[in-house]
């Protein structure tokens, strides 16, 4: 992604630094999950109660994991001032972003909304092109403020609501009803086959997922995490989000980037479902590429986050699952992506691990 906004560039820099730190940690400790499921009802939200979404959710969760914040509630400096809350001395803020799209006419020096653009006569639309209008905000977690002093009762209620969850020492007996139903009933967007195998993969050419038997995994959550990883890949099929390019071989930039998209998508989707996912040891070969790509271009992570957002949204809709508690209606595949006819090689090159 080419970033033309200085504010968004600074946000991308902080996001990238955080992700580099997380991937570097993963290279040293494979057992540490992308996102630790430690506290109850722990979904990042603003002090107003509005949940953050997409890339903000993922980055705030990783950020919160580093500092072990007791609540997932954030606020801006202005909001803190309006509430009479002090920001702790030395506290560092973290950015969140929102990207809206508008149409711009250079001749008229005019920006209009997508809705207004759609109402224009076809001949007038020719003078406009779509532009990105990012907005970025710096936020602080309540742990970094004097909220507990100003509002002790509300603070006590928040601590109770987000208390530590009991440690699950029986992961081998763990079951996830939603994923079990999808796999057993073959209701995912493509077939999911469990068989004796030394690897899991998604084949775009055959549009199918192959998973080793559950008993081949160290525990049940490892099985579900792998299933989510391959399901994430399948959202990129040309008939869906059209993210996976035909014939991308292992070691190529497109292939390695897709692996990071699937890793982060399965991590966020797994977190929503209460499943901790870890980087698979057989994906160690991608770590260097991810680090080099992140260090080279801050826009790389923003591109990846955009794909992660679409992948997770797609999975939530198809599974009729909403982590925020509202009902979700399934939508046809044709709504989520344009169909592009690209050749997909039916061989090893077209298999995504």
């Amino acid at each position: 992604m080419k970033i033309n906004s200085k504010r968004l560039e600074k946000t991308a820099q902080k996001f990238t630094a955080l992700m580099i730190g997380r991937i570097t940690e993963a290279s040293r400790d494979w057992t540490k999950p992308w996102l630790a499921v430690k506290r109850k009802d722990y979904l990042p939200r603003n002090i107003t109660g509005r949940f953050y979404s997409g890339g903000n959710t993922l980055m705030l969760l990783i950020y919160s994991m580093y500092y072990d914040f007791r609540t997932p509630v954030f606020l801006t400096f202005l909001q803190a001032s309006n509430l009479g809350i002090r920001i702790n001395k030395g506290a560092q803020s973290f950015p969140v972003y929102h990207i809206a799209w508008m149409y711009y006419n250079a001749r008229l020096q005019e920006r209009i909304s997508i809705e207004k653009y759609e109402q224009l006569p076809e001949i007038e639309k020719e003078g406009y092109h779509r532009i990105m209008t990012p907005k970025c905000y710096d936020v602080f977690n309540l742990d970094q403020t004097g909220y507990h002093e100003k509002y002790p009762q509300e603070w006590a209620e928040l601590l109770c609501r987000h208390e530590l969850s009991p440690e699950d020492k029986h992961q081998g007996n763990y079951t996830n009803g939603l994923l079990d139903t999808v796999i057993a009933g073959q209701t995912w967007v493509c077939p999911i086959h469990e068989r004796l195998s030394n690897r899991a993969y998604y084949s775009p050419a055959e549009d199918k997922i192959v998973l080793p038997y559950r008993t081949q995994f160290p525990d049940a959550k490892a099985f579900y995490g792998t299933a989510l990883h391959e399901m994430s890949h399948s959202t990129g099929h040309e008939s869906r989000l059209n993210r996976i390019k035909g014939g991308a071989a292992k070691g190529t930039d497109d292939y390695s980037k897709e692996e990071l998209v699937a890793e982060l998508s399965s991590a966020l989707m797994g977190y929503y479902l209460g499943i901790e996912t870890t980087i698979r040891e057989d994906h160690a070969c991608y770590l260097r590429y991810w680090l080099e790509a992140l260090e080279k271009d801050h826009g790389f992570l923003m591109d990846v986050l955009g794909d992660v957002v679409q992948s997770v949204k797609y999975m939530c809709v198809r599974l009729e699952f909403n982590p925020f508690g509202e009902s979700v209606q399934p939508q046809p595949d044709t709504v989520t992506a344009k169909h592009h006819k690209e050749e997909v090689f039916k061989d090893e090159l077209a298999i995504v691990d």
Side-chain angles (χ1 to χ4, degrees):
M1 174 190 290
K2 184 177 181 180
I3 301 177
N4 296 319
S5 164
K6 291 183 179 180
R7 192 71 180 85
L8 187 59
E9 172 67 22
K10 290 183 179 180
T11 296
Q13 288 177 5
K14 284 198 172 184
F15 279 9
T16 298
L18 182 64
M19 186 59 68
I20 287 174
R22 182 63 196 92
I23 291 176
T24 301
E25 271 191 354
S27 66
R28 295 193 296 261
D29 183 3
W30 295 100
T31 65
K32 190 172 183 178
W34 277 106
L35 301 170
V37 182
K38 293 178 61 177
R39 295 181 178 273
K40 297 178 181 178
D41 193 26
Y42 202 90
L43 290 175
R45 64 180 185 275
N46 188 273
I47 189 68
T48 63
R50 177 180 57 81
F51 288 104
Y52 292 104
S53 60
N56 289 318
T57 301
L58 180 63
M59 299 310 296
L60 286 174
L61 284 171
I62 295 176
Y63 181 63
S64 297
M65 186 175 72
Y66 271 107
Y67 293 96
D68 197 20
F69 292 137
R70 289 170 289 178
T71 79
V73 183
F74 293 82
L75 77 173
T76 64
F77 183 86
L78 180 59
Q79 288 174 323
S81 296
N82 291 339
L83 291 171
I85 302 169
R86 64 171 173 81
I87 303 296
N88 295 344
K89 186 176 180 179
Q92 297 293 315
S93 63
F94 193 75
V96 294
Y97 71 102
H98 172 71
I99 294 179
W101 294 91
M102 301 184 73
Y103 280 88
Y104 177 69
N105 187 308
R107 182 178 63 83
L108 300 176
Q109 295 287 297
E110 179 185 45
R111 295 185 182 187
I112 61 175
S113 66
I114 294 177
E115 292 74 18
K116 188 173 181 180
Y117 172 81
E118 294 295 339
Q119 295 173 2
L120 292 176
E122 290 301 319
I123 192 171
E124 292 185 24
K125 289 182 179 179
E126 295 178 1
Y128 290 85
H129 65 276
R130 201 168 74 140
I131 62 171
M132 180 176 66
T133 56
K135 293 183 179 180
C136 304
Y137 309 89
D138 289 320
V139 297
F140 298 88
N141 185 272
L142 288 188
D143 273 20
Q144 299 173 290
T145 74
Y147 183 87
H148 63 288
E149 299 170 347
K150 185 75 173 181
Y151 302 101
Q153 182 176 344
E154 289 84 350
W155 176 246
E157 291 173 356
L158 280 173
L159 291 181
C160 182
R161 179 178 179 180
H162 303 296
E163 63 184 353
L164 287 168
S165 298
E167 185 178 355
D168 181 9
K169 297 182 180 179
H170 306 284
Q171 292 188 2
N173 298 324
Y174 174 84
T175 60
N176 186 282
L178 177 60
L179 293 180
D180 284 344
T181 299
V182 168
I183 295 172
Q186 290 296 311
T187 57
W188 183 236
V189 294
C190 68
I192 301 177
H193 302 299
E194 289 184 65
R195 61 180 60 158
L196 187 64
S197 175
N198 62 0
R199 61 185 292 233
Y201 64 86
Y202 166 68
S203 169
E206 299 178 271
D207 196 22
K208 71 176 183 181
I209 292 169
V210 172
L211 298 173
Y213 286 124
R214 301 179 191 220
T215 53
Q216 294 182 256
F217 290 85
D219 55 57
K221 288 191 176 182
F223 167 78
Y224 290 122
T226 300
L228 288 172
H229 180 102
E230 305 308 336
M231 289 166 69
S232 301
H233 280 316
S234 70
T235 68
H237 189 269
E238 63 177 351
S239 66
R240 298 174 194 117
L241 299 178
N242 195 38
R243 189 179 65 244
I244 298 176
K245 306 305 178 185
K250 286 186 178 180
T252 63
D253 289 351
D254 285 342
Y255 194 103
S256 300
K257 178 184 174 184
E258 171 61 22
E259 285 302 332
L260 182 56
V261 171
E263 281 286 340
L264 297 181
S265 296
S266 58
L268 184 55
M269 192 67 198
Y271 183 86
Y272 286 155
L273 293 170
I275 301 168
E276 292 182 346
T277 70
T278 60
I279 295 178
R280 282 158 41 182
E281 191 167 356
D282 59 335
H283 285 173
C285 57
Y286 304 122
L287 287 170
R288 176 181 291 183
Y289 167 80
W290 294 342
L291 289 173
E292 289 178 352
L294 288 165
E295 291 169 351
K296 180 180 178 181
D297 178 17
H298 297 139
F300 172 77
L301 181 57
M302 303 307 285
D303 274 338
V304 168
L305 289 177
D307 287 338
V308 169
V309 169
Q310 293 304 315
S311 177
V312 172
K313 281 184 178 179
Y314 193 99
M315 285 194 283
C316 284
V317 169
R318 294 299 305 193
L319 295 173
E320 299 184 48
F321 169 79
N322 191 318
F324 307 110
E326 300 173 357
S327 61
V328 176
Q329 297 300 320
Q331 299 175 1
D333 292 344
T334 53
V335 174
T336 60
K338 295 180 180 179
H339 294 258
H340 298 281
K341 292 185 178 180
E342 297 180 9
E343 183 179 0
V344 179
F345 297 100
K346 196 172 183 178
D347 59 15
E348 180 69 11
L349 299 183
I351 288 177
V352 187
D353 293 320

